[in-house]
Amino acid sequence: MKISIERGTLLKAVSQAQSVVERRNTIPILANVLIEAEGESVQFRATDLDIEVVDKALAQVERAGATTVAATTLHEIVRKLPDGALVTLTADAAAGRLTVEAGRSNFSLATLPREDFPVMASSEYQSNFSAPAAVLRRLFDKSKFAISTEETRYYLNGVYMHIADAEGGKVLRCVATDGHRLARIDADLPAGASDMAGVIVPRKTVGEMRKLLDDDEMDIAVSVSETKIRFATPDITLTSKVIDGTFPDYTRVIPQGNTRRLEVDASEFAQAVDRVATVSSERSRAVKLQLEEDRLILSVNAPDSGAAEEELAVAYGDESLEIGFNAKYLLEIASQVDRENAVFMFNSSGDPTLMREGNDQSAVYVVMPMRV
């Protein structure tokens, strides 16, 4: 195999592939990226047995062929090469080496045979549709903060993507929760998605797939089966196993009867929470909210480190209320608000609190209070 490829194109392809590779591997071939050159293009394929990413790039192929080489090493080399350099990759199967040449630089890397590289079994996808990158980005960006990190409740270690009924008809919905907070984000149902089975997309997949979604103009082809999900752009295909489990009935957690309405400027609120939380002890990070007519007092009292208090002008017309929250959860939820105002709906100091952006029902967040 011998190919020549521009450094920027190579870096983009290799960086997407190498990010899937696990740093600690018991199986040596999983640390490698499979390079396949044919026709006028080259494919870079990497996997951790749960996720597979295939990245296509244009290249001058002098000799077709394939080999596998350490993904992180290749990425580091390409990253350190000068901008605009033409990189030549030459594989010598007999010697088990891949030569990387650019200008006066020359590297020789150990390879492993391509036959050892595990290729993910192809599967039949029951549902195929395409959605704009910006829509998918919003769905996953706004929900992923609530993904649980508890391995014991593995079915919460991802984002539940499914078709749901909303007031205006069926929607494509993403939900994530860790038991302390919940995010529920809706988007218009893409054509062809109505028969999609609900799947739990793992946390790592959400992070990797996010890298495909930076171009607003692009449509992403999504394919879903009961065991796998695939996201594809013209250049990159990401296939992932989904979490085998049943996502709990989240609708029971979303409070319907909360009547005490607080409206506050989201960025002012987040900054104030951040300031008062500075003195709180790391473990609890509890912030107390005191609500009175048109004013909110945020306070933290940490006996070992000090106390802090800040007052905000807000829109609130109900009876006074004291309620405590974990500062980190409040900050994460407030940072999801794109518009100026966040609307909090309270019931009592022991009940879950609902938050949304203005009157927008398509993004709803729930956070559990804590005792302060």
Side-chain angles (χ1 to χ4, degrees):
M1 180 189 90
K2 185 174 184 184
I3 59 168
S4 299
I5 183 168
E6 196 271 321
R7 179 250 180 199
T9 313
L10 179 59
L11 181 63
K12 187 166 175 275
V14 174
S15 63
Q16 179 75 39
Q18 68 90 34
S19 65
V20 171
V21 171
E22 286 289 339
R23 293 289 171 266
R24 294 183 299 282
N25 259 318
T26 48
I27 309 169
I29 193 87
L30 291 184
N32 282 17
V33 58
L34 171 61
I35 306 170
E36 298 170 293
E38 199 180 339
E40 292 182 347
S41 69
V42 58
Q43 278 196 154
F44 298 87
R45 186 188 295 264
T47 183
D48 66 356
L49 298 181
D50 289 326
I51 305 174
E52 179 185 74
V53 67
V54 182
D55 210 317
K56 255 202 188 101
L58 288 173
Q60 292 170 297
V61 180
E62 286 182 44
R63 280 199 307 276
T67 187
T68 82
V69 66
T72 32
T73 314
L74 181 63
H75 178 249
E76 283 298 294
I77 288 171
V78 178
R79 190 174 63 80
K80 291 171 183 175
L81 289 175
D83 238 353
L86 187 69
V87 185
T88 306
L89 304 177
T90 315
D92 181 345
R97 287 277 180 256
L98 175 78
T99 312
V100 182
E101 293 170 279
R104 295 181 180 181
S105 308
N106 187 312
F107 304 87
S108 176
L109 304 176
T111 63
L112 287 170
R114 64 156 310 170
E115 293 74 32
D116 297 351
F117 195 86
V119 173
M120 204 177 246
S122 59
S123 65
E124 288 290 310
Y125 292 101
Q126 284 87 23
S127 176
N128 297 283
F129 60 93
S130 74
V135 169
L136 289 175
R137 189 172 65 219
R138 175 179 171 273
L139 281 172
F140 285 98
D141 272 5
K142 286 183 171 296
S143 56
K144 65 183 180 187
F145 75 92
I147 296 174
S148 172
T149 50
E150 265 184 67
E151 297 300 328
T152 48
R153 299 162 79 187
Y154 62 93
Y155 48 84
L156 297 182
N157 295 162
V159 172
Y160 181 43
M161 182 167 112
H162 59 297
I163 307 301
D165 292 310
E167 286 169 13
K170 288 196 179 304
V171 292
L172 179 62
R173 175 174 289 175
C174 281
V175 179
T177 181
D178 64 356
H180 302 290
R181 61 246 160 105
L182 177 144
R184 191 200 78 192
I185 317 296
D186 292 348
D188 293 339
L189 188 65
S194 53
D195 56 347
M196 184 187 94
V199 287
I200 306 171
V201 186
R203 185 196 308 105
K204 183 174 176 181
T205 308
V206 172
E208 291 302 325
M209 182 257 307
R210 177 64 186 80
K211 296 168 191 167
L212 312 185
L213 305 180
D214 285 330
D215 183 356
D216 280 358
E217 303 302 308
M218 195 175 281
D219 273 1
I220 309 289
V222 183
S223 307
V224 181
S225 75
E226 286 181 2
T227 55
K228 288 198 182 83
I229 186 162
R230 187 176 70 198
F231 300 93
T233 71
D235 299 329
I236 301 173
T237 304
L238 185 140
T239 311
S240 167
K241 293 178 182 173
V242 297
I243 293 174
D244 182 14
T246 308
F247 201 80
D249 179 9
Y250 60 87
T251 50
R252 297 207 319 267
V253 186
I254 299 173
Q256 303 298 333
N258 288 11
T259 52
R260 301 178 180 186
R261 186 176 190 276
L262 159 73
E263 190 163 341
V264 59
D265 181 300
S267 67
E268 275 185 19
F269 176 74
Q271 287 166 11
V273 170
D274 199 18
R275 280 192 291 269
V276 296
T278 315
V279 299
S280 72
S281 60
E282 261 317 302
R283 267 196 334 281
S284 65
R285 304 267 324 205
V287 172
K288 185 161 80 170
L289 280 66
Q290 275 174 278
L291 287 160
E292 288 158 22
E293 194 171 332
D294 288 346
R295 71 181 195 145
L296 164 67
I297 298 165
L298 296 165
S299 61
V300 167
N301 196 353
D304 47 351
S305 54
E309 188 174 291
E310 183 161 340
E311 190 173 315
L312 288 175
V314 296
Y316 181 76
D318 285 286
E319 56 200 75
S320 56
L321 173 72
E322 280 193 11
I323 188 166
F325 293 104
N326 182 315
K328 178 169 165 275
Y329 298 165
L330 278 187
L331 282 173
E332 284 178 338
I333 283 184
S335 67
Q336 303 305 322
V337 180
D338 298 326
R339 305 201 177 105
E340 284 187 6
N341 285 359
V343 172
F344 288 88
M345 303 295 290
F346 299 98
N347 186 27
S348 74
S349 60
D351 291 319
T353 294
L354 188 88
M355 192 211 87
R356 57 174 193 262
E357 305 175 37
N359 293 319
D360 182 8
Q361 298 290 342
S362 73
V364 170
Y365 306 93
V366 179
V367 59
M368 298 297 287
M370 63 188 289
R371 278 203 208 92
V372 282

